Amino acid sequence: MKHSIKDKLKLVSILMTTLIVFSLFSVPVSATTQSFKFTYQHDQTNARKMLDKVNYLRQNNPWLWKNTTSNEKNYLGNLPALRYDYSLEKIAIQRAEDLAENFVCGARPDGSPAYELKIDNIYANGECISIGCPDINSAFAYWEEVDEPNHFQQNRALLLMSDYKSCGIAHVKANGVDYWTIEFSRSSTNTGYTSPNNSTTTKTVSIDMDNAILGVRVNGNDDLNSYAGDEIDLPRVELVLSYGKFHDNILTIPSSDYSITGWSSDDSAVTIKNGKILCNKPSAIGAEVLVNVNYNGKTAVGSVYVRIKDAKFKPDTPTTTPTPKPSTPAPTNKPVTSAPTQKPKPTVTIPANDTKSDQIRAFVDNLYKSVLDRDPEEGGAKYWANRLYNFDITGAEVAKEFVFSQEYISFNKSNSEFLDTLYSAFFGRPADDAGKAFWLGKLDNNEMSRQDVAWGFIDSQEWADKCATYGIRSGGTRKPQVTIDPTDDTNAFVERMYTTALKRTFDKDGRDYWAKRLADFDLTGEQVGIEFFLSKEMNDLNLSDEEFINRLYSTFMNRNADEDPTGKNFWISYLKQGHSRYELVLGFTRSDEFVEKCIKARILPY
C-alpha cells in the first residue's frame, strides 16, 4: 500500500475526474454526525479474474527498478503463483467498503489499523487499494506501476513479494464510485470455492459533518448565453458532500433533501423571479447568478455567469449551427467481447527539432523555475517531458508532482506564497488581486485544503486552454476553447481512412471534422478507426476477411500486409476461431506500432 503524497494525489485525481467538480464556493457543514444510506454493489465474479493478471505478472520474468535512478531493472525470476483464498476475499470486500466510508491508506473508518481486521480467524499481511478505476484493466495498471520510478513502485513490490502465498480480491461500487482491494497472506487457509458475492446491499453510515464540506455545481459551471428580453430556466444545481479524513470521498446529496434560492449580482441586467432568469438588457460582461442551497440548516453558494446579447442580433427564426456530418455513420457492429490485448504503453523518443516537443519541454522547465526556483536537472526534465509527449500522464499530474513534492513542501511556504506558486506554475502569470484574495480566504479559514485549491486551478478554463497550446492533456474537465489546428500528420491519418480503408476520395468537410476532433483530443485514433472500419459503408462493401485485414495493415500501419505473412496469417486464423471484426480492429489499435504512429502524429491512441 502506498503512503506517499504522490499516491494520494493520483487517487484524488482519479476520483475527482470521475465524479464532479466543486464550485469555487464551498462551505464546511456544521453539525456533529449525520446518517446516510450507502449502496454497495459487489462485483466478485469480475474481481476474481484479477488473479490471472497477478499471477501472469509474477510468473513472466517480473522485475523492479534496481535503484532510484530507475534505469536498470532487477529481474526477480519467476515467483510462485498465488492461490485464491476465500477468507481473504471477505477481508478484501470489507476493506473496499471501509474505503467508501473513509478513504485512508492503512486505516479503518474507526481509526484502527487495517491489519487488525480479522475474519475467519485470519489477518491479511498486506494490501493494494485503488479508487475510481472502472474496470479490471485500469485497476491492475494502477497497481502494476510499470512506468513509476523506484520509490513509487510500492504496489508493484507487494504484487511481487516472494513469500506471499495467497490473496483475495474485491471490487465494490459504492454510491457510483469504484473501489478495488487485493489482500495478501503468507499462508493459505481457505482455498475451498465459494460462490461469488454479486449482491447489492445498503448500510447506514454516520459521517462527521464538522469536517465535511458542501460543494455546489451550477450548470456544470459553464456560462449561460442568451438575448435581451429572453426568459430562461434556472440552471441545473447539484449539491455534493466531500467527507473523510482528507475529503477524498464524495457523496451526491439527493435534490429532495435541500432547497434552492437564487439572486443576481446585477438586477438591471438579470432578474431572478419564480425560478426563471429574466434577461433585461445586453451585457457582454454578464451578470453573475448566485444560487443558495439550503441543507441541514446551512447554506452553500454556487454561481454561473449569464452573458446577454443584444436582441437585434437574434435570428428571426431559431436556427442551429449544423455539425459537419461525418462521411461514415456510427458503427453498426457492436462489440461482443473484450479486446484481445491490453493497452500498450510504448515510449516514443521525442524527435529532434520538433515544435511540439519544444513546447512540452518549456512547460516542464517552467515548473522547475516557478515551483522549485531552480534550473532543471536534464534527466528529470527529460523524464517528465517524455511522459507528457507519450500521453501517459496529464499536465495536472505533473504540475501537482512539483507543487506537492517533498522539495517544495520543505520550503514551508505561507498560504499567500503557495498561491503565488500556483498562479506562476499553472497559468504562467502573476496572481490577480481578486482571485488571490478569494483563494487565500478559503485557505486561511480552513474551508479548503491546498489540494482542493490546486484542483480549482486545474479545472479552470485558463488551464485547459494553456495545456491545449502545449499539446498535452490538461487533466481537468474543461474542454479547451482555443483553436488547435490539426497537423499534417493528423490530416493524413484521417485521409487514409477514406482513401485506404474505404477506397474512395475523401470530402474536405468530413476530413476536417474528424481531424479537428482528433486535434482537440476529443476523439482517439482508436475511436476514429472503429467508426470507419465498423461503419455501414464498410460493411456494405462485403469484404473478405483477407481484404479486411489488408486494409487494416495499409490504413493503420501504412504498409502492405504481405510484408508480414506471419502476422497476416495469424489474424486470418484469429477470425476463423470465432473472434469478431471489432476484436480484430482492437488487436491492431492496441499494438505498439499503431500507438507509436498516433503519438508521433500528436493523436491520442486510445
Side-chain angles (χ1 to χ4, degrees), residues 74-89:
N74 179 32
Y75 289 94
L76 308 177
N78 290 351
L79 302 172
L82 299 180
R83 300 182 69 185
Y84 201 81
D85 190 301
Y86 295 91
S87 292
L88 285 175
E89 181 184 74

Side-chain angles (χ1 to χ4, degrees), residues 194-430:
T194 60
S195 298
N197 178 1
N198 296 314
S199 65
T200 299
T201 60
T202 59
K203 178 182 176 182
T204 300
V205 176
S206 294
I207 292 178
D208 176 9
M209 302 299 280
D210 286 331
N211 294 314
I213 292 176
L214 282 179
V216 180
R217 186 183 185 192
V218 184
N219 198 49
N221 292 342
D222 291 331
D223 292 345
L224 296 171
N225 295 283
S226 190
Y227 293 91
D230 281 359
E231 179 181 284
I232 57 179
D233 291 331
L234 198 65
R236 183 182 74 257
V237 176
E238 293 175 294
L239 180 68
V240 295
L241 185 73
S242 172
Y243 64 95
K245 184 174 182 180
F246 299 105
H247 297 138
D248 291 349
N249 303 78
I250 294 179
L251 182 67
T252 301
I253 306 297
S255 58
S256 59
D257 290 354
Y258 55 82
S259 59
I260 301 170
T261 57
W263 74 97
S264 169
S265 63
D266 181 1
D267 286 336
S268 66
V270 169
T271 306
I272 309 298
K273 187 175 181 180
N274 298 326
K276 297 285 186 179
I277 299 174
L278 308 181
C279 302
N280 301 325
K281 68 177 185 179
S283 174
I285 297 176
E288 189 176 18
V289 172
L290 296 108
V291 177
N292 263 358
V293 180
N294 300 301
Y295 173 73
N296 197 32
K298 290 294 175 180
T299 300
V301 182
S303 70
V304 64
Y305 269 90
V306 181
R307 307 191 188 281
I308 308 170
K309 299 178 184 178
D310 195 315
K312 68 182 180 181
F313 298 114
K314 187 176 182 179
D316 293 334
T317 56
T319 61
T320 57
T321 303
T323 301
K325 293 198 179 288
S327 300
T328 55
T332 55
N333 299 347
K334 300 296 183 183
V336 293
T337 59
S338 59
T341 59
Q342 295 185 37
K343 295 179 179 180
K345 279 193 174 182
T347 298
V348 176
T349 302
I350 296 181
N353 302 319
D354 177 78
T355 302
K356 193 57 65 178
S357 68
D358 291 342
Q359 293 172 339
I360 293 173
R361 178 57 189 267
F363 172 88
V364 174
D365 287 352
N366 174 63
L367 290 175
Y368 277 92
K369 281 287 188 183
S370 59
V371 180
L372 305 181
D373 194 28
R374 64 175 175 83
D375 293 328
E377 71 271 14
E378 191 61 17
K382 281 186 176 179
Y383 170 81
W384 293 117
N386 270 288
R387 293 196 69 186
L388 287 166
Y389 190 87
N390 282 276
F391 297 126
D392 64 356
I393 199 169
T394 66
E397 289 173 303
V398 177
K400 289 195 294 185
E401 287 282 354
F402 280 75
V403 171
F404 294 100
S405 67
Q406 204 58 48
E407 182 175 354
Y408 181 74
I409 291 172
S410 69
F411 296 159
N412 196 27
K413 297 284 188 180
S414 66
N415 285 339
S416 177
E417 292 169 327
F418 173 76
L419 289 172
D420 288 338
T421 299
L422 288 190
Y423 274 95
S424 178
F426 285 84
F427 298 158
R429 64 172 175 86

